Amino acid sequence: MSGRLLRLVCTAAVAAGTVLAPLPAVAVPEPGPGERPVSQLLTDLQKLYREAEQATETYNATEEKLRKQHTEVDRLDRELARTRLSLHDSRGAAGRLARQQYQNSTDISPYVRLLLARNPQQALDQGHVIEQVSRERAETLGRLTGTEKKADGLARKARKALDDRLSLAARQKKDRDDVQKRLKDVQELLVSLSPEQLADIAELEEKGVDKAQQQLVASGALSDEHEPSREGDRAVRYAVQQLGKPYEWGAEGPDTYDCSGLTSQAWGHAGAPIPRTSQEQWAQLPRISLKELRPGDLVIYFPEATHVAMYLGEGLMIQAPRTGEKVKVSPVASFPILGAVRPDGVQAAPVTEAR
């Protein structure tokens, strides 16, 4: 990360009250009689947080599908309306042809008219006119038939699209209920803990992150710094401006964010829109190795790709962590790394990094 960008990050982090470095290690006290060890409490809490985030990303994916389906329903409805108007016009033209044909049904046939005509050339000219009218009738009836088929097909698609939207809306409600249940589980565990236990858990988690970060750096997985692309620089600057804003599941800003809401909005404001959820970002964006990381790239966490953060450089990332926390700067090894992706990358390299 360039010195100017690093100063921007540090200044914004300090202004938002974000801690960039782990706290000094403090010995964790032994549990009292009947108490669960702090390590077990941390494991339980991390598991609940992870389940809540996984449920959140599932909700986000359904919400995105519902949004697209709503657009598709509107598009089909508009096209069906235009087709029905065209069908109405075609039926009007066909009706006029039918009336003309009925009115002319007693006419002598063109062949007999030619035999009886005083002026054979005039009869031939009339025959050409009759032939042209017949072609126009056939074309009108053909358009009518084709428009009817198109209208029927569009009506079926519109009904199916509406059914799909209703199904997605029901699934969204189920996903929302699941998120709320997971968050309730987290809240119940937090309420059951004393302030001392919460402090001990936070300290133990900080020590774990510090150890993981040291191992990652020592492994050489992070190489020398790479300069961000123009879009990456814009994405980082947008993300840094969100420091200190609360986490909220399903939120895409501007006042609150969840993890993928932050990364998708940052890259959207940089002029390079990316998928909404962390799973889609992992599945659809070009993958890179950790050695290639440059500011603006995204780091994906956990085997299910349920968390995402934006790399800042120098082993740091910016993230919207979880309920109860705010957008902050953290060590890149704060969670188990699945891999990294580059939103403005040209080609994908299926590389998976894990620790």
Side-chain angles (χ1 to χ4, degrees):
M1 178 165 45
S2 67
R4 185 176 61 178
L5 188 55
L6 179 59
R7 288 194 298 272
L8 170 67
V9 172
C10 292
T11 301
V14 171
T18 304
V19 178
L20 298 179
L23 299 173
V26 176
V28 177
E30 293 296 325
E35 290 184 355
R36 281 184 292 172
V38 173
S39 59
Q40 183 61 51
L41 291 173
L42 175 59
T43 299
D44 293 345
L45 192 56
Q46 288 176 334
K47 178 175 180 291
L48 291 176
Y49 276 130
R50 185 175 171 186
E51 289 175 350
E53 189 157 51
Q54 187 168 2
T56 296
E57 290 300 281
T58 299
Y59 171 86
N60 289 339
T62 302
E63 185 179 47
E64 185 67 13
K65 289 178 183 177
L66 183 59
R67 188 181 305 164
K68 292 178 180 178
Q69 194 62 35
H70 182 83
T71 302
E72 177 67 5
V73 168
D74 289 345
R75 184 190 69 80
L76 286 170
D77 285 345
R78 289 193 299 270
E79 187 174 356
L80 181 57
R82 290 194 298 268
T83 303
R84 282 176 172 164
L85 181 61
S86 175
L87 180 59
H88 175 76
D89 294 341
S90 297
R91 282 175 174 163
R96 287 191 296 273
L97 286 176
R99 288 192 297 274
Q100 291 171 4
Q101 188 173 12
Y102 174 78
Q103 293 166 357
N104 297 331
S105 60
T106 57
D107 287 352
I108 300 174
S109 70
Y111 177 69
V112 175
R113 188 184 301 114
L114 177 62
L115 292 178
L116 299 178
R118 292 182 180 181
N119 186 341
Q121 183 60 46
Q122 183 180 3
L124 287 172
D125 292 341
Q126 289 176 347
H128 287 305
V129 173
I130 292 172
E131 182 181 356
Q132 182 178 353
V133 170
S134 297
R135 284 198 303 269
E136 289 176 355
R137 286 175 179 174
E139 290 173 358
T140 299
L141 292 174
R143 284 196 301 271
L144 175 62
T145 302
T147 306
E148 285 179 336
K149 289 182 179 178
K150 182 178 180 181
D152 288 343
L154 282 172
R156 286 193 296 271
K157 287 182 179 179
R159 284 195 296 270
K160 185 180 184 305
L162 180 59
D163 290 342
D164 290 344
R165 188 174 72 178
L166 294 174
S167 177
L168 283 170
R171 190 194 307 174
Q172 184 191 41
K173 181 180 182 304
K174 179 179 178 298
D175 293 341
R176 182 176 63 244
D177 293 343
D178 189 24
V179 173
Q180 291 173 342
K181 179 183 180 302
R182 304 295 181 180
L183 293 177
K184 182 180 178 182
D185 293 339
V186 171
Q187 185 64 26
E188 288 177 351
L189 178 55
L190 290 174
V191 169
S192 70
L193 300 175
S194 67
E196 291 77 13
Q197 287 175 312
L198 291 172
D200 292 341
I201 289 173
E203 176 59 27
L204 184 59
E205 184 175 33
E206 196 72 51
K207 288 173 61 179
V209 170
D210 186 34
K211 180 179 178 181
Q213 183 76 3
Q214 291 175 2
Q215 290 176 343
L216 181 64
V217 173
S219 71
L222 297 177
S223 66
D224 294 336
E225 292 304 307
H226 301 283
E227 289 297 317
S229 65
R230 181 175 59 181
E231 292 79 7
D233 183 78
R234 291 174 182 169
V236 167
R237 290 175 182 277
Y238 178 88
V240 169
Q241 290 171 0
Q242 314 315 309
L243 281 168
K245 293 186 178 180
Y247 175 100
E248 181 183 4
W249 66 270
E252 301 176 73
D255 300 320
T256 58
Y257 294 89
D258 64 16
C259 67
S260 57
L262 176 64
T263 54
S264 61
Q265 285 297 308
W267 274 97
H269 280 78
I274 62 174
R276 167 65 175 91
T277 69
S278 57
Q279 290 97 334
E280 290 175 321
Q281 291 169 8
W282 173 243
Q284 298 180 29
L285 298 179
R287 298 182 187 179
I288 59 172
S289 69
L290 294 185
K291 283 184 176 294
E292 300 175 87
L293 275 175
R294 67 189 187 192
D297 291 339
L298 305 182
V299 183
I300 312 295
Y301 296 94
F302 302 112
E304 302 85 5
T306 51
H307 188 68
V308 60
M310 179 177 293
Y311 190 64
L312 295 177
E314 299 193 8
L316 299 175
M317 54 88 160
I318 185 169
Q319 61 163 335
R322 58 197 180 197
T323 298
E325 296 195 27
K326 298 178 180 180
V327 176
K328 66 179 183 179
V329 175
S330 307
V332 73
S334 293
F335 311 102
I337 298 174
L338 175 61
V341 295
R342 177 162 291 163
D344 57 347
V346 177
Q347 59 183 1
V351 177
T352 300
E353 298 283 348
R355 72 169 170 85

